[in-house]
């Protein structure tokens, strides 16, 4: 593992003008949702449901 190398991920920015303002913009970063927690919860719920009905 080489610790000196950094990989920059491209950022997806959303630039929107602010209503009723002069030359002002809102800059938001578009991020992906992290589904790992939901998948984990779904698996636990499925295991508990199977265990309950058997």
């Amino acid at each position: 593992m080489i610790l000196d190398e950094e990989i920059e991920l491209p950022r997806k920015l959303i630039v929107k003008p602010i209503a009723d303002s002069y030359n002002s913009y809102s800059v938001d970063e578009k991020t992906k949702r992290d589904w790992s927690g939901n998948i984990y919860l779904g698996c636990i719920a499925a295991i508990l449901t199977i265990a309950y009905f058997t």
Side-chain angles (χ1 to χ4, degrees):
M1 175 186 272
I2 299 174
L3 298 175
D4 293 336
E5 292 184 20
E6 291 185 16
I7 299 172
E8 284 193 38
L9 298 175
R11 296 171 61 186
K12 294 184 180 182
L13 299 177
I14 300 171
V15 179
K16 297 178 186 175
I18 298 174
D20 299 328
S21 65
Y22 177 73
N23 205 15
S24 297
Y25 297 92
S26 171
V27 179
D28 299 319
E29 189 171 356
K30 188 176 182 180
T31 58
K32 290 185 178 179
R33 246 185 111 169
D34 183 20
W35 290 95
S36 62
N38 292 343
I39 293 171
Y40 179 73
L41 266 170
C43 290
I44 296 295
I47 290 170
L48 289 175
T49 305
I50 292 169
Y52 179 76
F53 287 113
T54 56

